[in-house]
Amino acid sequence: MVLEECYVPEGKEIRIAISGKSGCGNTTVSSMLAEKLGIKLINFTFRQLAAEKGITLSQVIENAKTDDSYDIEVDTRQVELAREQSCVLGSRLAIWMLKEADIKVYLWADDDVRAGRILNREGGDLEEIKAFTRMRDSEDSRRYLKLYGIDNNSYDFVDLKIDTTKYKPEEIVSLILQKALEKGLVQKK
C-alpha cells in the first residue's frame, strides 16, 4: 500500500473525524493524516485538559465521574474548532459529535494490544494499565450515554472501520486518503 500524495483543492474544505478508544492509534493516525493533507489537527483531550488545569489525567477522569463540565468543555471546544476550517478531528467522540464530517473513521484494536501500546507510550505495569484501561473504557461509555445518548460501542455508520492491529499507521492513513479520493474530497498531486 502506497501512501498517496494528496491535497485539498483550493476553495474546498474537508473535515475528517477519527475515533477510537485509548491505545488504538487515534492520535498517531490523526496527526499523520493532518500533516499529509496540510490541514489542522484538532485533538483536544482529557490529557490536555488535565495539563491546562494542572492536575493528573486520573484526577480529571475521577472528577468527570461526578462533574459533567469536563466532558462538555472538551467536546464543545473540539467541535467549535473543527467547524472553523478544514481539519482532522481525532477524539473519542469525533465521529458522533462532528455530524457534518466528510469522512468518519473508527479505529479498533483488542484490549491486550491497546494496553501494550499504552505501556510502550507511558511505561508502568501492564496489569495495572489493563485494569485502568478497562475502568476508563467503562467510565467513558457510561458518561457518553448519560450526557449525549451516545453508545460509543455502536459505530456501524462510519465510512471506515479499521482494525489497527492489521496495518501500520502509514497504511491506515493511506486507506483514509483512498476513501477521500473516492469521495472527491481530495486530489492527487
Side-chain angles (χ1 to χ4, degrees), residues 55-71:
I55 59 178
T56 66
L57 174 61
S58 296
Q59 189 59 54
V60 168
I61 292 168
E62 190 61 33
N63 292 352
K65 290 178 185 179
T66 56
D67 184 349
D68 295 341
S69 70
Y70 287 86
D71 279 291

Side-chain angles (χ1 to χ4, degrees), residues 20-77:
K21 295 181 180 177
S22 182
C24 284
N26 194 4
T27 303
T28 301
V29 169
S30 296
S31 299
M32 289 175 68
L33 181 61
E35 183 178 332
K36 198 78 177 151
L37 288 172
I39 60 177
K40 185 167 180 65
L41 169 66
I42 299 170
N43 187 0
F44 188 80
T45 65
F46 270 0
R47 190 175 307 282
Q48 283 87 7
L49 186 62
E52 276 186 9
K53 292 185 178 289
I55 59 178
T56 66
L57 174 61
S58 296
Q59 189 59 54
V60 168
I61 292 168
E62 190 61 33
N63 292 352
K65 290 178 185 179
T66 56
D67 184 349
D68 295 341
S69 70
Y70 287 86
D71 279 291
I72 292 167
E73 182 176 350
V74 167
D75 299 331
T76 301
R77 194 179 311 176

